[in-house]
Amino acid sequence: MRFSKTVIAVAATGLVAAGCSGTEDQGAVTSDGAVVFNDAVPTEEDNLSTFAVDIDTASYEYARDSILNGRLPQQDTVRPEEFVNAFAQDYEEPDDHGFTVTIDGARTPDWYVTDDEPSHIMRVGLQTKTEPADERTDAHLTFVIDTSGSMNDPARLPVVQESLHLLVDQLRPGDAVALVTYSDEAEVLQPMTPVSDKAALHTAIDELATAGSTNVEDGLRLAYQTASDGYRADAVNRVILLSDGLPNVGSTEHEDILATARDQAAAGITLLCVGVGTGYGDQLMEQLADNGDGFAVYFSTATQAKKLFEQQLAATLAVRAKDAKVQVAFDTDMVEKYRLIGFENRDVADEDFTNDAVDGGEVGPGHHVTALYAVTLTEQAADGFANATVRWLDPDTDEPDTRDGDAGIAAVDVDLADASPRLAVDLVAGAFAELLRGGDYAQAIDVTALAEHAAELATATEDADVAELADLIVAAAELMS
């Protein structure tokens, strides 16, 4: 699908959400400052929806931190797909290194009534197989650490140091770590060092200190050079950027910095972007992850870092699918119109679904990807009203593979209360994102009912993350009033 989009020119980013005056929706931003978000698409005009997968969660994590600190997130940092990605799913795992494709849904609840008046919410879920920690491929990791003056904050460099100490203790003897720092200039603090020499790595981490400006480009170039020097063909080779993402010296043009990530990704060195601290450069970090065949996360506390580096380590480091894309085909007789919620900046032309030169998303073991659609079904709707296909490249051979799944009418034509609780959580998370970023689709969402439903789901799932989501919705509603 070439998404039907609304484009609005804006002069500045607002902090306004649904029900408040201010700038319009900022789901994606064009190079000239215009904002773009998906509109409902009649299937008679285009019945194919094609996008690159995205496993980023930074948008939700940053929004959570902002709200807990008493402010709404900037609207152009809110991406619904990343809110949904932040929560556990209930998809069946595959038996191999491919994907399962799950399609389910529910009738649109009263509290989620948007301008396109969809009759149903449809969920497309992808899942890869979990990899036991002891089966993980060895990793050669080059950390590039922002030590500029802007990182001189208790929520920034000290949290980075504690996170790195945690990670070194978590890694295996076959792994290796290098440390590169940057401020005015970049330098190699610790060359590629086997984790068996933990003492040297811990000592180098303790030596991190802040000073000077933020030369992201120089830091990344030296980090990639260090990773290239320590490259091991049978290992995961990854650069991990820890930064507030706000360059102010060297090249500050995003395109110059992104070009470095693209070139190195083609050489087999992937990127993980870890945003830290309040007010960080979300747009650069997200684009770097997309261009560097990686993904973006965010944390501001040692507890959040512990969850990432200890609990999610294997899925964070390994790659099970390269350039993964999804194409959903809607039956024109059974579906009147559809709207993809989020993924505005992951749009792929329909004809490029099988074009391996067009970048997709990278997915690790045990990862899930969820796409929500607001759809309007016709009276003729029956089994097979939609088909979803995921296509990816094997990370070792670059050979393409596909999996697909059909939409059964019985799996979507149910009340939300009778649907999967995880589907309900996904819709609440996606709707919350739409509220925070504002725009036409947010205006009709009932925030009070949304908060009440989130609280009910927290009890039903007994999930602390869902309970936190419910609290965040209440807090955000107060900030909006």
Side-chain angles (χ1 to χ4, degrees):
M1 171 183 87
R2 286 189 177 87
F3 290 139
S4 174
K5 297 177 182 291
T6 296
V7 181
I8 304 170
V10 295
T13 298
L15 297 177
V16 186
C20 304
S21 61
T23 58
E24 290 288 349
D25 185 286
Q26 299 184 19
V29 183
T30 65
S31 59
D32 60 358
V35 295
V36 184
F37 59 96
N38 297 337
D39 286 331
V41 180
T43 56
E44 289 185 353
E45 296 179 6
D46 186 353
N47 75 318
L48 297 178
S49 172
T50 309
F51 59 93
V53 304
D54 188 353
I55 61 171
D56 294 354
T57 58
S59 177
Y60 176 74
E61 291 149 355
Y62 181 61
R64 174 184 60 196
D65 188 68
S66 297
I67 294 168
L68 292 176
N69 282 282
R71 62 186 181 278
L72 294 172
Q74 290 181 303
Q75 290 173 309
D76 61 353
T77 69
V78 177
R79 294 178 290 276
E81 67 275 16
E82 296 186 28
F83 276 53
V84 175
N85 280 343
F87 293 90
Q89 301 296 339
D90 54 0
Y91 309 134
E92 182 180 351
E93 291 193 0
D95 295 327
D96 56 16
H97 288 318
F99 289 87
T100 55
V101 180
T102 301
I103 303 178
D104 59 3
R107 290 187 284 269
T108 305
D110 291 341
W111 52 262
Y112 186 78
V113 179
T114 61
D115 281 1
D116 56 318
E117 298 179 349
S119 65
H120 292 73
I121 298 298
M122 187 182 84
R123 178 176 69 157
V124 177
L126 311 178
Q127 178 71 51
T128 57
K129 183 179 179 180
T130 301
E131 181 180 74
D134 59 359
E135 295 181 11
R136 174 177 63 79
T137 303
D138 289 342
H140 275 209
L141 309 176
T142 302
F143 289 90
V144 53
I145 305 156
D146 183 350
T147 55
S148 64
S150 65
M151 293 288 287
N152 185 21
D153 182 284
R156 297 188 182 187
L157 189 62
V159 174
V160 167
Q161 288 176 290
E162 186 168 354
S163 304
L164 290 173
H165 283 306
L166 285 171
L167 182 61
V168 167
D169 287 335
Q170 176 81 358
L171 292 172
R172 304 184 319 203
D175 300 326
V177 170
L179 300 175
V180 173
T181 64
Y182 68 91
S183 52
D184 295 315
E185 297 178 343
E187 66 173 325
V188 178
L189 182 65
Q190 184 72 26
M192 195 65 70
T193 302
V195 172
S196 57
D197 190 1
K198 288 186 178 181
L201 293 170
H202 284 304
T203 297
I205 293 167
D206 286 334
E207 292 175 355
L208 293 169
T210 60
S213 301
T214 311
N215 194 335
V216 175
E217 182 188 33
D218 199 32
L220 275 177
R221 289 190 187 281
L222 184 57
Y224 276 122
Q225 181 60 57
T226 303
S228 180
D229 292 343
Y231 185 87
R232 183 177 142 193
D234 62 345
V236 173
N237 296 270
R238 188 181 286 274
V239 168
I240 301 178
L241 171 64
L242 296 113
S243 174
D244 58 16
L246 297 169
N248 55 24
V249 297
S251 176
T252 59
E253 296 297 324
H254 286 194
E255 185 52 41
D256 293 341
I257 301 172
L258 297 178
T260 298
R262 280 195 296 269
D263 292 344
Q264 295 299 323
I269 300 173
T270 56
L271 181 66
L272 168 62
C273 290
V274 182
V276 298
T278 58
Y280 85 116
D282 170 81
Q283 186 180 16
L284 175 60
M285 296 289 273
E286 195 250 352
Q287 290 181 2
L288 272 172
D290 289 346
N291 283 266
D293 280 357
F295 63 103
V297 295
Y298 171 88
F299 64 74
S300 62
T301 68
T303 300
Q304 294 164 6
K306 183 181 179 70
K307 180 179 179 181
L308 171 66
F309 286 126
E310 286 193 342
Q311 299 176 21
Q312 302 171 348
L313 179 64
T316 298
L317 296 181
V319 175
R320 280 289 163 260
K322 287 174 52 181
D323 289 330
K325 309 183 189 86
V326 174
Q327 186 166 86
V328 179
F330 294 95
D331 187 291
T332 56
D333 293 326
M334 302 185 196
V335 181
E336 178 185 334
K337 56 186 175 181
Y338 62 91
R339 177 172 66 92
L340 177 58
I341 300 172
F343 290 93
E344 284 89 353
N345 62 0
R346 304 297 281 161
D347 186 9
V348 173
D350 296 334
E351 60 269 24
D352 286 333
F353 179 58
T354 58
N355 183 353
D356 295 335
V358 174
D359 190 41
E362 277 56 51
V363 183
H367 269 138
H368 52 76
V369 180
T370 300
L372 295 178
Y373 285 88
V375 300
T376 299
L377 301 183
T378 70
E379 293 182 356
Q380 289 74 41
D383 287 349
F385 68 84
N387 174 272
T389 303
V390 56
R391 187 180 191 275
W392 73 97
L393 302 181
D394 183 285
D396 298 321
T397 66
D398 279 340
E399 289 297 316
D401 202 350
T402 62
R403 296 284 192 281
D404 69 349
D406 287 324
I409 191 64
V412 300
D413 196 26
V414 297
D415 287 335
L416 187 62
D418 298 323
S420 160
R422 289 298 173 185
L423 165 64
V425 171
D426 292 340
L427 180 56
V428 168
F432 183 39
E434 291 192 288
L435 276 172
L436 290 175
R437 67 179 187 169
D440 293 342
Y441 292 112
Q443 299 301 323
I445 297 174
D446 186 334
V447 66
T448 301
L450 181 67
E452 292 173 352
H453 193 56
E456 293 170 359
L457 288 169
T459 301
T461 61
E462 298 182 340
D463 186 334
D465 291 336
V466 180
E468 182 180 54
L469 172 63
D471 292 340
L472 289 175
I473 293 172
V474 172
E478 293 176 354
L479 293 172
M480 293 174 192
S481 61

